[in-house]
Amino acid sequence: MGRIKVSNIKLYAYHGCLDEEAKIGSWYRVDVEVKADLKKSSKSDELSDTVDYVLLNYIVKQEMAIRSKLLEEVAQRIMTRFFDEISMLEKAEVSVAKLNPPIGGNVAEVAVILSKKRKK
């Protein structure tokens, strides 16, 4: 078993319940961590034997481009695509954070974190 992390993916997107958020957007940070059996890739040195972090980043970018009211829905879409498209994935965690959220205070970020294990 091994872990692959892609951290601090920064994107500008248009999520939120307020009309203003849909119009002006804001910055988001996404962090993902996946678990898979990396024994084969650690010996073969072949990309086809591991989880391609370029694909993880691509899925995040595509799903973040689709507007949602809730960060939970965005994180779930990312998670669903990970498991649908990467068969060797055993577990994943996705964190979607809105930076400087409009909640009437000095708050650096609000994050939603979802995790899932593949059913055997």
Side-chain angles (χ1 to χ4, degrees):
M1 182 73 74
R3 296 182 304 171
I4 295 176
K5 293 172 71 172
V6 183
S7 302
N8 206 19
I9 304 167
K10 289 190 178 172
L11 303 144
Y12 201 84
Y14 298 87
H15 308 301
C17 293
L18 303 175
D19 290 338
E20 296 80 24
E21 293 174 299
K23 292 175 186 170
I24 63 172
S26 60
W27 283 100
Y28 293 81
R29 189 190 76 239
V30 179
D31 299 297
V32 301
E33 181 174 330
V34 298
K35 290 186 179 182
D37 185 350
L38 302 179
K39 283 184 246 161
K40 186 175 181 181
S41 61
S42 67
K43 294 177 182 174
S44 71
D45 199 28
E46 294 295 331
L47 182 59
S48 60
D49 293 332
T50 192
V51 176
D52 184 354
Y53 50 80
V54 173
L55 177 59
L56 296 173
N57 185 59
Y58 177 76
I59 290 170
V60 167
K61 287 169 60 175
Q62 281 194 322
E63 293 304 322
M64 286 295 291
I66 301 168
R67 175 163 161 63
S68 294
K69 288 187 256 175
L70 300 178
L71 299 181
E72 291 89 329
E73 206 249 346
V74 180
Q76 184 58 55
R77 283 199 324 264
I78 293 167
M79 185 84 68
T80 297
R81 287 211 35 212
F82 283 177
F83 280 93
D84 286 350
E85 297 180 30
I86 306 167
S87 61
M88 70 181 298
L89 221 80
E90 294 179 21
K91 185 177 180 185
E93 181 174 281
V94 175
S95 171
V96 179
K98 181 181 283 193
L99 306 179
N100 301 309
I103 61 174
N106 187 8
V107 177
E109 67 181 43
V110 174
V112 169
I113 303 166
L114 298 181
S115 61
K116 179 181 176 180
K117 287 183 182 179
R118 186 177 297 281
K119 295 177 183 168
K120 297 189 181 201

